[in-house]
Amino acid sequence: MSEKKILEYDVLVVGGGISGGEAALNLANLDYKVLVVEKDLSLGGKMIALSKVFPTLDCAACITTPKVSEISRHPNITIMFSAEAKKIDKLGEHNFEAHVHQKPRYVNIDDCTACQLCEKACPVSVIDEYQQGLIGRKAAFIPFSIASPRAAAIDITNCTLCGACERACPTGCIDFTQTDLDYVVKAKAVVVATGFKLFDPLKIPRYGYGKYKNVITSMQMERQLAPTRPFNTILRPGDGKMPDNIAYVLCTGSRDKSVGNPICSQVCCMYSIKQGQLLMGSLPMADVTIYYLHIRAFGKGFNEFYEQSKEMGVEFIKGKIGNIKEKENGNLILRYEDIEEGKVKEAEHDMVVLSVGVMSNSEISDSFQGESLVLDDYGFIHQNDILASPSETNIDGVFVAGTATGPMDIPDSILSAGAASAETTSYLRRAVL
Amino acid sequence: MKKKIGVYVCHCGGNISDYVDVEKVREEIEKDEGVFLAKTTMFACADSNQKDMVTDIAEKQLDGAVVASCSPKLHLLTFSAVAERAGLNKYNYIHANIREQASWAHSDDKVGATEKAIQIVKAAVAKVKRSNALEPIRVEATNAVAVVGAGVAGLRSAIELAESGSQVYLIEREFFVGGRVAQWDDLFVSNETGKELITRLYDKAMNHKNITLFTGAEIVENSGSVGNISLKVKVSPRHMKLNCDEGNLEKAIEVCPVEVPDKFNFNITTRKAIYHNFPGEYPQLPVIDMEHCTRCGECEKVCKNVDFSQQEEFLNIKVGSVLLATGYDPYEPKNDEFGYKTIDNVVTLPQFKRLVHYCDDKLVYKGKEVKNIAYIYCVGSRQVDGENKYCSRYCCTATIHAAITAKKKYKEIYNFHFNRGIRTYGKQEVLYDESSRMGDIYLQSFEDHPPVVSKVGDKTMVTIKDILTADKTLEVEADLVVLVTGMVPRQDNSIGSLLKVPKGRDNFFNEIHMKLRPVETVIDGVTIAGASQGPKNIMESMNSSLAAATKSFSLIAAGELALSPTIAKIDADNCEWCGKCDDACPFSALTKTDVNGKQVAVVNEAVCKGCGMCMPVCPSNAIELIGYTDDQIESMIDALVSTH
């Protein structure tokens, strides 16, 4: 085995989403050398995939892409894609050692012009995760149109090694000889910004996700509404018909002890309301009904946004959905308790969107050697001194930003990242003094 | 005039191209004289497009660039930076806004929106033809920050800034630090008391050599600009000498004959004119409230440390940045709003929390023991008729927490929550669950049917049309009604007015952009933290105060600032000092000077913001705005009114 390459930075940031990126930028602007380790092929995390964001309705791409491009060209920031921090060891104060494993992209990013000829040449079609499985992509592919870096990658699990992409590539940037790389990273502090996972609705079989084609997740709807959307309009997956009576099922996987998640996901009410408003725009004739328990429109401008959606005609029904059944024509029957009327009722919709919740993404805690990184009751990273130093973890020198601490929206994530960078700065200064 | 201009027309992923025919815009612009290339792009701001622009500008040696996209508030800086990376002076880049000004504004008229977009872009091209390379004005930045407000947010920002190496002037208007949090007992999540949290922060702040605390202090004058802000601070006297003998001091309080409502307890108790906030407050020194003191001299007789000779002081400080952490006020219900001040057992949530603090084994209000408590939510928030349309965010959780605390503290307390939909977002949900399991009753009304508080004989009744029981009308006899009052902006906005910090629709301080720049304001160098920007709980205030500290610090950390050169310029030959420009200038950037025996105006480059207020009032047309010259503006107007 060859010797691992040793790299040295001031701060290791785990996660290149909007929180990790913001923290990295703040630190880099104060002249600290930062390494961002990102497990995916692009920066921007979940946010870059969104359509527009509440309550301002800015397009997510308009906000994310410039941030992402600022991060990627900052002289003090190095980014490793397809990479994971496998082992993080605290050897002493201001002395962390991480083992970073990087999978090959099989494409030389610097030479790739994103001409997409490899995509055209590739004979393999697989499901496009970025488009939430709504369409397919090739095994040689550009992750998505606004990816950063915008460069091809080879999905080696599905690749047949036919070589068509290599032959088609005009710059010769495809390189199948690339191998896994292991690095030893020395850093003085660590920022964990590993984000969240979406709730898997297959865990609630009575909602029929995976069984009924016209039951989709809110992230799938998000993709259908985004500027870089797959169909250029809203279609129900079952038969490609434009829906005209869409239902939202809030609290799918949140506030639900039966799936082991008692907490509220903090963002689903607002993103559903936002999608409702956007649907009113793109399908002016469609009805949108949101089935909810409580509307949590608590942030700056949120309640006003909620009131506005009511004025626009989004319908709100206070009630919990019991189950969903499919009719022969693909329409869906929702059985629910109408709390206001105190009756169990049924309603027919031609498309159902499950507003899936925010779940912890806690694998990073397993990477910590010696002193382990403590999680809270819900699997998020425990905040050691939540009311005075919210980004402090149980390990001195390891800070946490964004949804790794719990569900939160984008403005709160940016603030949390600001806090993490501030506390990291103080910690780093203690090393100098 | 420039001959090699590059124009990029952005689809904004449909935000523009759904209503504006961007291809037609491109075709029309391409015909303009001086336009060397015109392209359309899906997302002009995307990294890949930015790279293409850099390549175009550098390889084709473009001498000017225009991007027609969204508001310059969003991306002017993005594309200026693109120009710079390509070696083009950023003032040879001009931004055209065809999203907010064309596509969004005219989504009902695609042809008209396209026409307008063409003219907007033509105007930008006209301007860039006449633009010049400019260099920033460099000024030294003072590594010091004034933090206004010493509540949790201000204290935390101060500590962070001090640890980063800045000098911090922590300016608190009250005589005691801790703000609202000092008034609370157990805090949710940590179970630490407000006082304990404040103690921790205060100790840390006071032990830091970089922090100077002023209490009873406010900023009364402000001049200069980011990097070099001069502030005049008025410090009111405590009328107490330091290091008092504890015993005599307590006696002094005892003998004071004046009794006034105690604001610290939200007026449910009284205090003397010489008073403590609470035992163990910070700084640990009482104060004489001169507004109510009758100067009877009784306190002076028993305590040598009382000192009526102390005078108001004025201090001048110089800072690079100002961080506002001025907090909020609790909403004060109107007379008779849910029986407030007209029915004797109606209190606000802050009053209730202080009441629970003072009642040990029994909850007693006005001599009567309290069993049934009715909490009425959203008082002053989510108003249907009033101005406060916003949700105050913290109150659902705070109320449930207070109700649980009361229930645990006293026997036989029955909590009835008259709510409008409980908003215990995130992990706070578990508290709602806990209270439900403890037997608290939740009743819910819609916005247009609030509950009614009325006096029936000697009983106080709360009636609601409860949607949780299918619209049944339910009635609860309440021994105490607690109005869950929300957060409102500080009534006294003198600091906001002084620094000209804009307010949002909700009247809290407004950030530049909720997601991109959430703690910065349009006033360079002024950042905002905590509840001054909008309702927040403690953790959220901490996050925002730390984020604001980072921004304030990064502004001044380099020791030097590059300011925009787009400022006013005086043509000394034409100027006959009349002083009108000085009168019109909101920043006091213009002063009179002597040039070869002639009195003319001169611009303070570090202070001028380039707002242009001085230009139209000049009778001899001797003022030009660099980057917005008459020639440039006239050419833009010509382009806007031309037909193509």
Side-chain angles (χ1 to χ4, degrees):
Chain A
M1 224 175 107
S2 64
E3 200 132 299
K4 286 181 183 175
K5 205 171 165 189
I6 296 176
L7 306 168
E8 280 189 49
Y9 295 91
D10 292 313
V11 186
L12 166 66
V13 175
V14 186
I18 197 71
S19 300
E22 174 79 8
L25 262 184
N26 285 337
L27 290 162
N29 284 336
L30 292 170
D31 247 1
Y32 293 110
K33 304 278 177 232
V34 182
L35 174 70
V36 176
V37 171
E38 168 55 50
K39 73 173 166 26
D40 284 339
L41 294 164
S42 167
L43 289 171
K46 298 263 194 309
M47 186 182 169
I48 204 166
L50 303 180
S51 57
K52 296 185 181 183
V53 284
F54 60 82
T56 45
L57 290 185
D58 288 306
C59 74
C62 306
I63 298 175
T64 325
T65 46
K67 274 255 179 203
V68 155
S69 101
E70 209 181 329
I71 297 159
S72 55
R73 61 166 186 264
H74 202 293
N76 291 336
I77 300 178
T78 309
I79 310 159
M80 275 189 203
F81 293 100
S82 313
E84 281 182 79
K86 290 286 184 195
K87 256 166 75 181
I88 304 175
D89 226 332
K90 182 172 176 179
L91 305 174
E93 286 311 323
H94 308 103
N95 185 6
F96 289 86
E97 191 178 276
H99 291 248
V100 176
H101 179 78
Q102 188 177 29
K103 285 188 225 138
R105 190 181 185 112
Y106 302 107
V107 171
N108 196 340
I109 295 181
D110 293 335
D111 296 334
C112 177
T113 61
C115 67
Q116 293 179 285
L117 290 174
C118 57
E119 276 189 358
K120 284 200 185 96
C122 177
V124 183
S125 283
V126 292
I127 277 175
D128 184 348
E129 316 86 327
Y130 175 78
Q131 297 286 17
Q132 297 292 315
L134 291 167
I135 52 169
R137 63 154 171 84
K138 297 298 184 65
F141 68 113
I142 290 171
F144 48 95
S145 62
I146 52 171
S148 174
R150 189 167 146 72
I154 308 294
D155 169 2
I156 205 72
T157 327
N158 291 302
C159 173
T160 59
L161 296 173
C162 70
C165 55
E166 238 179 331
R167 289 190 294 275
C169 178
T171 64
C173 70
I174 295 174
D175 177 6
F176 281 104
T177 66
Q178 287 184 0
T179 52
D180 288 28
L181 294 172
D182 285 292
Y183 299 94
V184 173
V185 174
K186 298 226 169 235
K188 299 190 182 93
V190 179
V191 174
V192 176
T194 45
F196 66 99
K197 284 181 187 161
L198 286 166
F199 175 74
D200 176 7
L202 289 172
K203 288 185 182 157
I204 308 181
R206 61 179 193 281
Y207 287 170
Y209 182 77
K211 193 161 61 169
Y212 310 141
K213 282 189 174 162
N214 298 328
V215 176
I216 65 169
T217 67
S218 43
M219 201 58 174
Q220 288 177 314
M221 181 56 96
E222 202 64 45
R223 289 308 310 152
Q224 292 218 33
L225 288 162
T228 48
R229 55 195 170 181
F231 311 136
N232 210 26
T233 183
I234 317 298
L235 301 176
R236 60 178 206 171
D239 49 14
K241 170 179 164 288
M242 275 209 266
D244 52 32
N245 190 3
I246 302 161
Y248 276 82
V249 180
L250 281 179
C251 299
T252 303
S254 310
R255 304 177 68 190
D256 187 347
K257 285 182 200 160
S258 72
V259 295
N261 185 27
I263 64 173
C264 156
S265 288
Q266 209 158 316
V267 292
C268 323
C269 283
M270 288 307 294
Y271 75 58
S272 301
I273 292 171
K274 170 204 73 185
Q275 292 189 358
Q277 289 203 13
L278 295 177
L279 283 168
M280 292 276 160
S282 40
L283 301 173
M285 302 308 288
D287 292 327
V288 177
T289 309
I290 296 180
Y291 294 89
Y292 72 99
L293 297 178
H294 298 95
I295 292 293
R296 275 153 186 189
F298 54 82
K300 190 163 181 163
F302 292 9
N303 200 56
E304 295 89 326
F305 191 76
Y306 165 47
E307 293 298 332
Q308 179 181 306
S309 71
K310 286 197 271 186
E311 282 160 27
M312 287 171 75
V314 177
E315 202 179 334
F316 289 85
I317 293 180
K318 188 173 170 74
K320 176 95 181 159
I321 301 297
N323 62 44
I324 297 172
K325 292 256 155 29
E326 191 184 44
K327 282 179 58 174
E328 259 177 34
N329 64 2
N331 285 3
L332 301 144
I333 306 290
L334 278 68
R335 192 174 164 80
Y336 67 100
E337 183 197 1
D338 185 324
I339 293 174
E340 234 181 295
E341 290 187 25
K343 281 185 195 141
V344 174
K345 288 184 165 178
E346 287 191 342
E348 183 171 339
H349 293 274
D350 57 5
M351 191 167 180
V352 171
V353 182
L354 302 177
S355 299
V356 288
V358 170
M359 310 297 287
S360 65
N361 181 24
S362 54
E363 279 117 54
I364 185 72
S365 78
D366 300 333
S367 299
F368 282 85
Q369 311 289 304
E371 200 177 348
S372 60
L373 189 66
V374 175
L375 303 178
D376 70 11
D377 293 347
Y378 322 105
F380 292 98
I381 290 163
H382 173 72
Q383 294 162 282
N384 209 40
D385 185 3
I386 188 164
L387 296 186
S389 290
S391 63
E392 204 178 290
T393 67
N394 65 301
I395 305 174
D396 213 12
V398 178
F399 301 93
V400 59
T403 49
T405 64
M408 64 176 78
D409 54 37
I410 297 162
D412 281 352
S413 298
I414 301 277
L415 291 177
S416 160
S421 42
E423 295 199 50
T424 306
T425 310
S426 303
Y427 178 78
L428 291 172
R429 273 187 70 88
R430 288 204 285 277
V432 183
L433 296 172
Chain B
M1 282 225 272
K2 297 195 176 58
K3 291 201 174 67
K4 291 188 83 173
I5 298 164
V7 181
Y8 299 83
V9 185
C10 181
H11 285 250
C12 197
N15 278 303
I16 294 169
S17 57
D18 283 353
Y19 311 107
V20 169
D21 182 346
V22 292
E23 192 48 42
K24 181 155 184 225
V25 176
R26 192 199 67 78
E27 281 166 17
E28 286 297 327
I29 295 306
E30 206 171 24
K31 296 178 200 159
D32 243 30
E33 201 193 320
V35 173
F36 182 77
L37 66 86
K39 291 181 174 178
T40 61
T41 165
M42 179 58 80
F43 282 111
C45 55
D47 201 41
S48 52
N49 183 69
Q50 290 192 27
K51 279 186 185 145
D52 290 348
M53 282 176 64
V54 169
T55 314
D56 280 352
I57 296 169
E59 285 181 359
K60 303 196 167 87
Q61 298 279 304
L62 300 183
D63 55 7
V66 170
V67 175
S69 57
C70 54
S71 160
K73 266 176 89 178
L74 208 57
H75 283 322
L76 173 64
L77 295 177
T78 310
F79 299 121
S80 297
V82 168
E84 280 193 320
R85 288 204 303 283
L88 180 68
N89 183 280
K90 68 177 179 184
Y91 295 95
N92 283 324
Y93 166 74
I94 304 295
H95 199 89
N97 177 1
I98 58 166
R99 191 177 78 174
E100 281 81 350
Q101 290 177 3
S103 73
W104 281 359
H106 305 289
S107 54
D108 55 341
D109 176 9
K110 292 186 183 180
V111 176
T114 304
E115 289 291 302
K116 187 174 175 186
I118 291 168
Q119 277 164 318
I120 291 171
V121 185
K122 283 196 165 183
V125 170
K127 187 178 176 195
V128 81
K129 278 185 202 167
R130 292 161 181 82
S131 64
N132 296 307
L134 302 171
E135 291 308 322
I137 299 162
R138 299 204 175 272
V139 295
E140 224 174 273
T142 312
N143 190 5
V145 181
V147 175
V148 185
V152 279
L155 282 166
R156 191 67 185 87
S157 314
I159 294 164
E160 204 56 42
L161 284 161
E163 287 188 350
S164 301
S166 292
Q167 281 298 318
V168 181
Y169 301 100
L170 181 54
I171 299 166
E172 170 56 51
R173 191 175 53 178
E174 303 292 330
F175 287 94
F176 304 102
V177 305
R180 299 290 174 201
V181 172
Q183 293 170 292
W184 314 140
D185 286 347
D186 288 355
L187 304 173
F188 175 53
V189 175
S190 70
N191 287 329
E192 193 174 19
T193 64
K195 191 186 152 191
E196 284 162 356
L197 178 59
I198 295 301
T199 306
R200 276 207 287 151
L201 294 173
Y202 179 78
D203 285 348
K204 208 165 178 188
M206 289 306 98
N207 283 327
H208 207 292
K209 62 176 178 21
N210 288 3
I211 299 178
T212 315
L213 169 71
F214 300 103
T215 54
E218 51 189 320
I219 297 174
V220 288
E221 270 176 40
N222 151 55
S223 63
S225 62
V226 56
N228 291 288
I229 303 171
S230 297
L231 302 172
K232 190 179 203 175
V233 183
K234 183 178 96 179
V235 185
S236 302
R238 286 185 106 83
H239 297 294
M240 296 296 300
K241 287 179 209 156
L242 288 168
N243 308 321
C244 249
D245 178 312
E246 194 77 15
N248 292 344
L249 195 64
E250 292 313 314
K251 208 161 209 167
I253 296 174
E254 204 180 297
V255 298
C256 175
V258 181
E259 270 202 39
V260 292
D262 187 351
K263 276 202 299 187
F264 186 79
N265 289 326
F266 301 98
N267 305 337
I268 61 165
T269 60
T270 57
R271 62 158 169 80
K272 299 297 182 70
I274 170 170
Y275 71 102
H276 290 287
N277 247 2
F278 62 94
E281 79 239 322
Y282 301 100
Q284 293 186 358
L285 189 65
V287 61
I288 296 177
D289 164 8
M290 293 311 284
E291 198 191 321
H292 295 104
C293 172
T294 59
R295 305 292 296 266
C296 69
E298 288 299 320
C299 56
E300 242 178 329
K301 286 181 202 157
V302 293
C303 178
K304 280 185 294 202
N305 296 76
V306 172
D307 179 2
F308 283 105
S309 71
Q310 286 180 0
Q311 297 289 319
E312 218 169 61
E313 278 179 66
F314 288 91
L315 303 165
N316 293 308
I317 56 173
K318 208 171 165 204
V319 297
S321 171
V322 178
L323 187 154
L324 297 179
T326 50
Y328 71 97
D329 279 329
Y331 173 77
E332 176 70 12
K334 295 193 185 66
N335 244 3
D336 206 28
E337 188 172 356
F338 298 105
Y340 188 66
K341 287 189 173 162
T342 51
I343 296 174
D344 56 358
N345 52 352
V346 178
V347 297
T348 64
L349 177 65
Q351 288 175 328
F352 176 68
K353 288 169 83 154
R354 295 310 297 164
L355 185 68
V356 171
H357 172 85
Y358 281 104
C359 294
D360 282 333
D361 25 295
K362 274 188 197 168
L363 183 63
V364 178
Y365 184 64
K366 292 191 174 166
K368 282 188 205 152
E369 194 180 345
V370 173
K371 298 279 183 201
N372 278 4
I373 309 173
Y375 303 87
I376 299 185
Y377 284 65
C378 299
V379 178
S381 311
R382 300 173 64 189
Q383 290 176 327
V384 177
D385 301 320
E387 273 181 21
N388 301 343
K389 301 293 177 202
Y390 58 89
C391 161
S392 282
R393 188 168 184 151
Y394 92 110
C395 1
C396 280
T397 305
T399 309
I400 295 172
H401 184 253
I404 292 175
T405 308
K407 193 151 185 153
K408 284 181 179 164
K409 189 168 178 183
Y410 312 110
K411 281 177 200 148
E412 288 181 51
I413 287 283
Y414 302 99
N415 293 317
F416 297 88
H417 300 263
F418 292 82
N419 68 86
R420 299 224 319 241
I422 293 294
R423 293 182 168 179
T424 42
Y425 55 91
K427 297 178 199 169
Q428 299 170 125
E429 183 70 17
V430 293
L431 204 63
Y432 179 31
D433 189 52
E434 183 184 345
S435 113
S436 305
R437 277 189 284 112
M438 283 172 80
D440 280 16
I441 306 289
Y442 285 83
L443 307 102
Q444 189 185 334
S445 60
F446 279 133
E447 282 71 5
D448 37 0
H449 271 101
V452 176
V453 183
S454 57
K455 202 82 192 169
V456 181
D458 61 347
K459 290 175 180 169
T460 302
M461 306 300 293
V462 184
T463 317
I464 188 171
K465 240 169 98 94
D466 173 35
I467 60 177
L468 302 181
T469 48
D471 262 351
K472 282 199 179 67
T473 300
L474 301 175
E475 212 173 29
V476 173
E477 184 187 336
D479 303 317
L480 189 67
V481 176
V482 177
L483 304 184
V484 177
T485 46
M487 291 184 178
V488 294
R490 286 280 187 191
Q491 220 170 9
D492 175 3
N493 180 42
S494 45
I495 185 70
S497 315
L498 184 73
L499 299 173
K500 302 188 176 71
V501 178
K503 291 168 159 194
R505 272 195 301 183
D506 53 11
N507 276 324
F508 287 94
F509 290 151
N510 217 14
E511 66 286 343
I512 293 181
H513 190 284
M514 196 180 274
K515 298 178 181 77
L516 292 171
R517 299 168 79 184
V519 293
E520 292 163 85
T521 68
V522 292
I523 307 301
D524 288 341
V526 177
T527 56
I528 47 178
S532 70
Q533 183 264 354
K536 282 180 191 62
N537 66 25
I538 299 171
M539 182 197 82
E540 291 156 356
S541 291
M542 286 296 177
N543 275 335
S544 101
S545 64
L546 289 164
T550 304
K551 289 296 170 201
S552 271
F553 179 67
S554 61
L555 277 175
I556 54 175
E560 190 191 67
L561 275 165
L563 301 180
S564 164
T566 54
I567 57 167
K569 188 181 155 195
I570 307 287
D571 174 1
D573 292 341
N574 275 334
C575 175
E576 308 281 343
W577 172 264
C578 64
K580 284 188 176 153
C581 54
D582 180 30
D583 294 341
C585 179
F587 305 101
S588 310
L590 288 145
T591 42
K592 186 162 65 170
T593 191
D594 191 290
V595 175
N596 304 330
K598 189 182 162 199
Q599 302 277 297
V600 296
V602 65
V603 178
N604 181 341
E605 294 190 335
V607 178
C608 178
K609 292 262 179 266
C611 70
M613 296 291 278
C614 53
M615 291 175 64
V617 299
C618 178
S620 48
N621 206 14
I623 309 176
E624 188 93 285
L625 200 56
I626 300 169
Y628 298 88
T629 60
D630 287 353
D631 177 39
Q632 287 172 337
I633 300 294
E634 281 161 16
S635 71
M636 290 178 81
I637 295 170
D638 287 343
L640 284 169
V641 297
S642 71
T643 46
H644 50 87

